[in-house]
PDB file of all heavy atoms in Angstrom:
ATOM      1  N   TYR A 160      44.558 176.607 -33.839  1.00  0.00           N
ATOM      2  CA  TYR A 160      44.541 175.158 -33.623  1.00  0.00           C
ATOM      3  C   TYR A 160      45.857 174.544 -34.156  1.00  0.00           C
ATOM      4  O   TYR A 160      46.411 173.646 -33.514  1.00  0.00           O
ATOM      5  CB  TYR A 160      43.320 174.508 -34.303  1.00  0.00           C
ATOM      6  CG  TYR A 160      43.210 173.046 -34.054  1.00  0.00           C
ATOM      7  CD1 TYR A 160      42.848 172.574 -32.765  1.00  0.00           C
ATOM      8  CD2 TYR A 160      43.454 172.112 -35.041  1.00  0.00           C
ATOM      9  CE1 TYR A 160      42.748 171.230 -32.521  1.00  0.00           C
ATOM     10  CE2 TYR A 160      43.375 170.746 -34.795  1.00  0.00           C
ATOM     11  CZ  TYR A 160      43.011 170.279 -33.533  1.00  0.00           C
ATOM     12  OH  TYR A 160      42.907 168.963 -33.280  1.00  0.00           O
ATOM     13  N   GLY A 161      46.304 175.022 -35.343  1.00  0.00           N
ATOM     14  CA  GLY A 161      47.549 174.525 -35.878  1.00  0.00           C
ATOM     15  C   GLY A 161      48.701 174.753 -34.941  1.00  0.00           C
ATOM     16  O   GLY A 161      49.521 173.911 -34.663  1.00  0.00           O
ATOM     17  N   LEU A 162      48.755 175.984 -34.366  1.00  0.00           N
ATOM     18  CA  LEU A 162      49.828 176.301 -33.441  1.00  0.00           C
ATOM     19  C   LEU A 162      49.727 175.493 -32.161  1.00  0.00           C
ATOM     20  O   LEU A 162      50.755 175.049 -31.613  1.00  0.00           O
ATOM     21  CB  LEU A 162      49.773 177.830 -33.109  1.00  0.00           C
ATOM     22  CG  LEU A 162      50.191 178.693 -34.270  1.00  0.00           C
ATOM     23  CD1 LEU A 162      49.977 180.189 -33.962  1.00  0.00           C
ATOM     24  CD2 LEU A 162      51.675 178.470 -34.612  1.00  0.00           C
ATOM     25  N   ALA A 163      48.472 175.229 -31.708  1.00  0.00           N
ATOM     26  CA  ALA A 163      48.333 174.387 -30.528  1.00  0.00           C
ATOM     27  C   ALA A 163      48.934 173.026 -30.790  1.00  0.00           C
ATOM     28  O   ALA A 163      49.587 172.421 -29.928  1.00  0.00           O
ATOM     29  CB  ALA A 163      46.852 174.262 -30.158  1.00  0.00           C
ATOM     30  N   GLY A 164      48.695 172.504 -32.004  1.00  0.00           N
ATOM     31  CA  GLY A 164      49.310 171.232 -32.393  1.00  0.00           C
ATOM     32  C   GLY A 164      50.811 171.299 -32.386  1.00  0.00           C
ATOM     33  O   GLY A 164      51.501 170.350 -31.890  1.00  0.00           O
ATOM     34  N   GLY A 165      51.367 172.419 -32.854  1.00  0.00           N
ATOM     35  CA  GLY A 165      52.816 172.580 -32.862  1.00  0.00           C
ATOM     36  C   GLY A 165      53.393 172.589 -31.454  1.00  0.00           C
ATOM     37  O   GLY A 165      54.369 171.871 -31.155  1.00  0.00           O
ATOM     38  N   VAL A 166      52.744 173.304 -30.532  1.00  0.00           N
ATOM     39  CA  VAL A 166      53.191 173.354 -29.162  1.00  0.00           C
ATOM     40  C   VAL A 166      53.103 171.949 -28.518  1.00  0.00           C
ATOM     41  O   VAL A 166      53.991 171.508 -27.829  1.00  0.00           O
ATOM     42  CB  VAL A 166      52.388 174.382 -28.332  1.00  0.00           C
ATOM     43  CG1 VAL A 166      52.818 174.348 -26.870  1.00  0.00           C
ATOM     44  CG2 VAL A 166      52.620 175.784 -28.893  1.00  0.00           C
ATOM     45  N   LEU A 167      51.998 171.280 -28.799  1.00  0.00           N
ATOM     46  CA  LEU A 167      51.822 169.949 -28.239  1.00  0.00           C
ATOM     47  C   LEU A 167      52.926 168.995 -28.671  1.00  0.00           C
ATOM     48  O   LEU A 167      53.519 168.270 -27.880  1.00  0.00           O
ATOM     49  CB  LEU A 167      50.458 169.382 -28.699  1.00  0.00           C
ATOM     50  CG  LEU A 167      50.140 167.941 -28.215  1.00  0.00           C
ATOM     51  CD1 LEU A 167      49.989 167.902 -26.706  1.00  0.00           C
ATOM     52  CD2 LEU A 167      48.890 167.370 -28.896  1.00  0.00           C
ATOM     53  N   PHE A 168      53.277 169.047 -29.989  1.00  0.00           N
ATOM     54  CA  PHE A 168      54.326 168.183 -30.473  1.00  0.00           C
ATOM     55  C   PHE A 168      55.668 168.538 -29.813  1.00  0.00           C
ATOM     56  O   PHE A 168      56.401 167.633 -29.429  1.00  0.00           O
ATOM     57  CB  PHE A 168      54.456 168.313 -32.008  1.00  0.00           C
ATOM     58  CG  PHE A 168      53.657 167.287 -32.776  1.00  0.00           C
ATOM     59  CD1 PHE A 168      52.298 167.124 -32.503  1.00  0.00           C
ATOM     60  CD2 PHE A 168      54.229 166.517 -33.775  1.00  0.00           C
ATOM     61  CE1 PHE A 168      51.548 166.188 -33.215  1.00  0.00           C
ATOM     62  CE2 PHE A 168      53.506 165.601 -34.507  1.00  0.00           C
ATOM     63  CZ  PHE A 168      52.154 165.405 -34.216  1.00  0.00           C
ATOM     64  N   VAL A 169      55.931 169.836 -29.715  1.00  0.00           N
ATOM     65  CA  VAL A 169      57.209 170.240 -29.110  1.00  0.00           C
ATOM     66  C   VAL A 169      57.332 169.695 -27.677  1.00  0.00           C
ATOM     67  O   VAL A 169      58.332 169.066 -27.309  1.00  0.00           O
ATOM     68  CB  VAL A 169      57.403 171.780 -29.152  1.00  0.00           C
ATOM     69  CG1 VAL A 169      58.592 172.196 -28.288  1.00  0.00           C
ATOM     70  CG2 VAL A 169      57.560 172.257 -30.580  1.00  0.00           C
ATOM     71  N   LEU A 170      56.252 169.909 -26.896  1.00  0.00           N
ATOM     72  CA  LEU A 170      56.312 169.435 -25.510  1.00  0.00           C
ATOM     73  C   LEU A 170      56.397 167.924 -25.442  1.00  0.00           C
ATOM     74  O   LEU A 170      57.158 167.355 -24.635  1.00  0.00           O
ATOM     75  CB  LEU A 170      55.084 169.962 -24.746  1.00  0.00           C
ATOM     76  CG  LEU A 170      55.068 171.422 -24.448  1.00  0.00           C
ATOM     77  CD1 LEU A 170      53.750 171.845 -23.834  1.00  0.00           C
ATOM     78  CD2 LEU A 170      56.206 171.800 -23.512  1.00  0.00           C
ATOM     79  N   ALA A 171      55.606 167.230 -26.268  1.00  0.00           N
ATOM     80  CA  ALA A 171      55.587 165.772 -26.216  1.00  0.00           C
ATOM     81  C   ALA A 171      56.949 165.205 -26.635  1.00  0.00           C
ATOM     82  O   ALA A 171      57.410 164.232 -26.019  1.00  0.00           O
ATOM     83  CB  ALA A 171      54.487 165.242 -27.137  1.00  0.00           C
ATOM     84  N   PHE A 172      57.583 165.803 -27.655  1.00  0.00           N
ATOM     85  CA  PHE A 172      58.898 165.267 -28.087  1.00  0.00           C
ATOM     86  C   PHE A 172      59.966 165.594 -27.068  1.00  0.00           C
ATOM     87  O   PHE A 172      60.908 164.824 -26.841  1.00  0.00           O
ATOM     88  CB  PHE A 172      59.275 165.812 -29.462  1.00  0.00           C
ATOM     89  CG  PHE A 172      58.504 165.192 -30.614  1.00  0.00           C
ATOM     90  CD1 PHE A 172      57.359 164.424 -30.401  1.00  0.00           C
ATOM     91  CD2 PHE A 172      58.929 165.345 -31.910  1.00  0.00           C
ATOM     92  CE1 PHE A 172      56.674 163.835 -31.441  1.00  0.00           C
ATOM     93  CE2 PHE A 172      58.257 164.773 -32.981  1.00  0.00           C
ATOM     94  CZ  PHE A 172      57.118 164.020 -32.739  1.00  0.00           C
TER      95      PHE A 172
END
Side-chain angles (χ1 to χ4, degrees):
Chain A
Y160 184 72
L162 289 172
V166 175
L167 177 67
F168 268 52
V169 169
L170 288 174
F172 285 14

